Amino acid sequence: MKNIYFQTQAIKSVEDHFEGIQPISTPLYLSTTFLRNPDGSYQEDFIYTRHDNPNRRILEKSLAQLENGTVAFAFASGMAAIHAVFQSLKTGDHVLLPDDVYYNIYLLVESVFKDWGLEVSLVDCSDLEKVEKAIQSNTRLIWLETPSNPQLKITDIEGIVHLAKLHNIKIAVDNTWASPVLQRPLDLGADIVMHSTTKYFGGHSDVLGGALILKENETWATKIKNIQTLSGAVPSPFDSWLVARGIQTLHLRVNAQSQTALTLAQFLEQHPEITQVNYPGLNSHPQHAIAQKQMPNGFGGMLSVLVKGDATRAMQVASRLQYFRTATSLGGVESLVEHRKSVEGENSATPDNLLRLSIGLEHVEDLKRDWKMALEG
Ligand code: PLP
């Protein structure tokens, strides 16, 4: 183009698209907006990135497949995904939450949704009788988290689904800790699965993300899609790209983390300085049989231990570990340890002497040695 001003050239000269080349790794589509065709239509229905974006669509399609759902929605964080589920309910609806639900979910409901008229009860979801008793005529949703954070209680998903169907109640499962490598709640009858993709999907502690995957693409899915795109808590193209990249190695990481967690749990269970190990893969776990049924390929990379002594002793042990970094979060390639009670605050039901472990990809013998040294040193 001749007679073009510098300013215009600066814009046009970088608009090349290299049609016809086929990169093996998915490119990043950072554009917030997409060209409209002369007839008014849009290529592949991409209009504006809050509404949909190629990187997000790739991620959502993958998530739907991996969880055996029909449709998935990606969010900017796990909490944004959870928020969307509660927002899809109506004033006066009642929700059952597990009594040791991830504590920020409880805070969200207490500090935001109670003001909007959502009714909530906490119940021990590992006890079907208690769940049945807690159901009210306005109960619309039962939220499950299995294994639970941080006590690793197991909920019988099929048992709760059976109950819920009798009362026309929807079942949501936070599947963050197990990942679809080890547990697929939609196959067990749940209606919606939630993930903090920040954890195992991302896998490298460098991206925040969340997801909802639905069994059926019906009115509830439309409502959630509206909440996702209209409230705008969507992941950026780069966030979506990172989570999608993590998915390619998800099964390798989760299987290895799960194996190491079991070996370490068995080792710690024998140690005199540990009074209890919470890990669903141990025969001593009260719901081991249910875990075997619904997590046939392994029990996950998370466990918690009760250290002999008080909170100060537990924190001392955590600080002596060399290979476990003292930090919150989970699901990354590096092992982490955390004193949960001091994070969750005074009202938390977590024991004072509990340490939560997220197992990474280090060699199990190094991790065992690390714990032996921290407990005995
Ligand atoms: N659910 C569980 C079980 C979690 O562990 C977390 C975060 O730690 C969340 C939900 C919230 O996810 P995010 O931190 O991505 O918002």
Side-chain angles (χ1 to χ4, degrees):
M1 216 182 277
K2 284 199 176 140
N3 299 329
I4 185 170
Y5 286 100
F6 180 87
Q7 292 90 323
T8 312
Q9 194 168 34
I11 291 171
K12 293 289 161 202
S13 61
V14 293
E15 277 181 357
D16 270 349
H17 283 270
F18 303 107
E19 304 248 334
I21 66 158
Q22 298 193 336
I24 295 298
S25 166
T26 309
L28 255 182
Y29 294 87
L30 292 175
S31 185
T32 52
T33 186
F34 300 88
L35 199 63
R36 196 167 187 179
N37 294 323
D39 66 359
S41 65
Y42 290 92
Q43 286 169 30
E44 304 276 347
D45 291 332
F46 290 117
I47 303 171
Y48 183 60
T49 274
R50 174 164 44 72
H51 190 259
D52 202 358
N53 168 280
N55 292 106
R56 196 168 95 215
R57 194 184 289 180
I58 288 166
L59 172 62
E60 289 175 341
K61 280 191 162 174
S62 167
L63 290 166
Q65 283 171 34
L66 297 178
E67 281 290 1
N68 215 6
T70 50
V71 63
F73 303 105
F75 290 83
S77 69
M79 289 308 295
I82 293 160
H83 195 274
V85 174
F86 291 127
Q87 259 186 334
S88 73
L89 301 174
K90 293 199 180 80
T91 301
D93 283 353
H94 175 248
V95 177
L96 284 182
L97 292 180
D99 55 2
D100 68 336
V101 67
Y102 170 57
Y103 78 110
N104 273 325
I105 299 181
Y106 178 68
L107 287 185
L108 174 72
V109 171
E110 278 296 312
S111 62
V112 178
F113 284 101
K114 273 205 169 164
D115 290 347
W116 290 18
L118 199 70
E119 290 178 31
V120 178
S121 308
L122 295 178
V123 63
D124 178 357
C125 287
S126 60
D127 185 330
L128 290 184
E129 262 179 50
K130 285 188 183 158
V131 175
E132 183 152 34
K133 279 200 188 125
I135 291 174
Q136 302 178 181
S137 57
N138 58 339
T139 306
R140 296 285 170 265
L141 179 75
I142 303 179
W143 184 274
L144 303 179
E145 190 183 303
T146 180
S148 73
N149 179 4
Q151 304 206 43
L152 289 112
K153 285 191 198 172
I154 295 293
T155 299
D156 180 353
I157 299 176
E158 277 181 318
I160 301 270
V161 163
H162 178 70
L163 261 182
K165 293 241 159 92
L166 295 176
H167 299 269
N168 211 11
I169 300 169
K170 299 270 192 211
I171 297 288
V173 179
D174 183 339
N175 203 28
T176 299
W177 279 29
S179 91
V181 176
L182 304 178
Q183 177 172 274
R184 299 220 287 186
L186 299 182
D187 289 352
L188 302 172
D191 300 285
I192 189 166
V193 161
M194 176 264 149
H195 277 284
S196 165
T197 53
T198 313
K199 316 299 182 193
Y200 288 101
F201 279 93
H204 295 77
S205 308
D206 54 10
V207 58
L208 272 185
L212 297 174
I213 303 109
L214 285 97
K215 185 75 188 163
E216 306 289 346
N217 191 1
E218 30 69 77
T219 39
W220 200 18
T222 310
K223 196 157 192 182
I224 285 178
K225 168 89 183 155
N226 282 340
I227 295 169
Q228 178 205 35
T229 56
L230 298 175
S231 55
V234 290
S236 72
F238 187 45
D239 291 348
S240 304
W241 186 91
L242 279 172
V243 176
R245 184 175 70 162
I247 283 176
Q248 294 177 315
T249 54
L250 179 71
H251 68 292
L252 291 174
R253 287 183 282 104
V254 168
N255 284 328
Q257 285 158 321
S258 191
Q259 271 298 322
T260 304
L262 177 61
T263 310
L264 189 67
Q266 286 164 340
F267 168 76
L268 291 172
E269 199 177 32
Q270 300 304 322
H271 200 286
E273 288 297 310
I274 297 287
T275 57
Q276 189 175 315
V277 178
N278 301 318
Y279 187 67
L282 294 176
N283 291 330
S284 58
H285 189 286
Q287 293 107 21
H288 178 59
I290 300 168
Q292 277 182 313
K293 184 182 69 156
Q294 63 193 26
M295 303 175 80
N297 302 322
F299 305 94
M302 296 298 297
L303 61 138
S304 58
V305 296
L306 303 188
V307 178
K308 194 185 262 179
D310 57 9
T312 312
R313 167 70 178 148
M315 288 213 232
Q316 181 196 48
V317 170
S319 68
R320 281 191 189 152
L321 290 161
Q322 301 283 304
Y323 294 130
F324 283 79
R325 316 287 298 277
T326 314
T328 197
S329 203
L330 57 116
V333 295
E334 63 289 304
S335 290
L336 298 178
V337 60
E338 184 176 35
H339 182 256
R340 284 303 289 176
K341 182 69 177 264
S342 48
V343 178
E344 295 176 358
E346 274 310 298
N347 294 331
S348 139
T350 300
D352 286 349
N353 56 342
L354 180 142
L355 292 177
R356 189 186 78 178
L357 282 60
S358 169
I359 304 302
L361 292 177
E362 304 87 349
H363 199 285
V364 66
E365 292 305 323
D366 288 326
L367 300 186
K368 277 161 63 177
R369 209 156 13 91
D370 204 18
W371 271 89
K372 190 169 160 46
M373 191 198 66
L375 290 167
E376 296 169 17

